Amino acid sequence: WSKCSADCGGGTRTRVRRCNYPPPTHGGKNCPGPGVKEEPCNEEPCKVDGHWGSWSQFTLCSATCGSGTMVRTRTCDNPPAQFGGKQCNGPPYEEKRCKNKNCPLHGGWSMWGPWSECSVTCDTGVVTRTRTCDSPRPLFGGRECEGSATDTRDCTANKQCPVHGGWTSWTLQGRCNAPRCETGTSIRSRSCTNPRPRNGGRPCVGRSYSRETCVNDENCPSKR
């Protein structure tokens, strides 16, 4: 038998014989039957190694804003591995980075700063502390920080403030101090009680009374 014409998938092999044992002579007949015999061989299927098909289109970006990924795939079907053939080498998918518009970044407050000194040196005032909207700063349409950037609270100094004295309103003009039908003076007054000076405050400036010239016309006969 000859060597099979194929290693797999079906081939043929042949063997031959010669009409020479003995050959026909003196008008004798040729040998009956064929001089070549053929038969199938290696009929088991051949191994088929897999090969990749074409890549698909990349998918949409996985993120609608900011960074994401795009993916494309392929299948081992051109042809697929068969009959013990090797699978395709390499990954069935491929990724790449993608970026759409920047995502809104909402603002965040920083830590509170230190308290300020009391706003007054006497009596009651306030102390203040502040913070800034920069941790992070709002970007790309992000919201501003919620709440106040300033915080205050009451504070009390170690001493009371001086209160300077203030005059009350003048009283009405007093009775004229003079004999009947003669000229004299009348007095009006005020007091340093609006408010009273205290805690080292200054007293009122000026006099607490005022004299005005007047005529005592009480029961004074009128001239005709």
Side-chain angles (χ1 to χ4, degrees), residues 124-141:
T124 301
V126 294
V127 290
T128 305
R129 63 178 181 174
T130 59
R131 58 182 178 175
T132 54
C133 187
D134 60 2
S135 296
R137 192 181 307 277
L139 294 172
F140 315 119

Side-chain angles (χ1 to χ4, degrees), residues 3-222:
K3 184 178 179 181
C4 191
S5 61
D7 293 333
C8 60
T12 57
R13 63 177 183 173
T14 58
R15 60 181 178 177
V16 298
R17 58 182 177 176
R18 298 180 185 278
C19 187
N20 61 359
Y21 193 69
T25 57
H26 310 298
K29 295 178 181 179
N30 273 326
C31 299
V36 178
K37 186 174 183 180
E38 186 177 280
E39 68 176 8
C41 57
N42 293 343
E43 293 179 314
E44 68 278 2
C46 292
K47 294 180 179 180
V48 178
D49 294 335
H51 288 83
W52 290 113
S54 299
W55 285 105
S56 69
Q57 296 292 320
F58 275 104
T59 63
L60 296 176
C61 193
S62 62
T64 56
C65 63
S67 296
T69 54
M70 300 168 63
V71 180
R72 65 176 182 173
T73 59
R74 58 181 178 176
T75 54
C76 187
D77 62 357
N78 189 34
Q82 299 181 76
F83 312 121
K86 296 177 181 178
Q87 292 293 329
C88 299
N89 289 325
Y93 65 92
E94 181 180 56
E95 291 184 355
K96 71 175 181 179
R97 303 289 292 175
C98 55
K99 184 175 182 179
N100 290 322
K101 62 181 180 180
N102 291 313
C103 293
L105 183 63
H106 304 312
W109 288 114
S110 66
M111 299 293 289
W112 284 106
W115 288 103
S116 67
E117 294 185 358
C118 194
S119 60
V120 296
T121 58
C122 58
D123 286 346
T124 301
V126 294
V127 290
T128 305
R129 63 178 181 174
T130 59
R131 58 182 178 175
T132 54
C133 187
D134 60 2
S135 296
R137 192 181 307 277
L139 294 172
F140 315 119
R143 294 189 299 270
E144 293 288 336
C145 298
E146 295 182 357
S148 176
T150 304
D151 184 23
T152 60
R153 64 172 58 171
D154 293 338
C155 60
T156 302
N158 294 326
K159 63 179 181 178
Q160 293 181 327
C161 290
V163 178
H164 304 309
W167 290 114
T168 62
S169 298
W170 287 103
T171 63
L172 295 176
Q173 201 73 33
R175 184 175 180 178
C176 189
N177 186 19
R180 188 175 60 161
C181 300
E182 294 186 12
T183 301
T185 59
S186 65
I187 296 175
R188 63 176 182 170
S189 63
R190 58 182 178 175
S191 63
C192 188
T193 58
N194 188 34
R196 295 180 186 277
R198 61 179 182 271
N199 306 327
R202 293 189 298 271
C204 298
V205 177
R207 304 182 70 171
S208 62
Y209 65 93
S210 172
R211 296 180 184 273
E212 299 288 339
T213 301
C214 60
V215 175
N216 183 4
D217 58 0
E218 185 177 354
N219 298 322
C220 186
S222 60

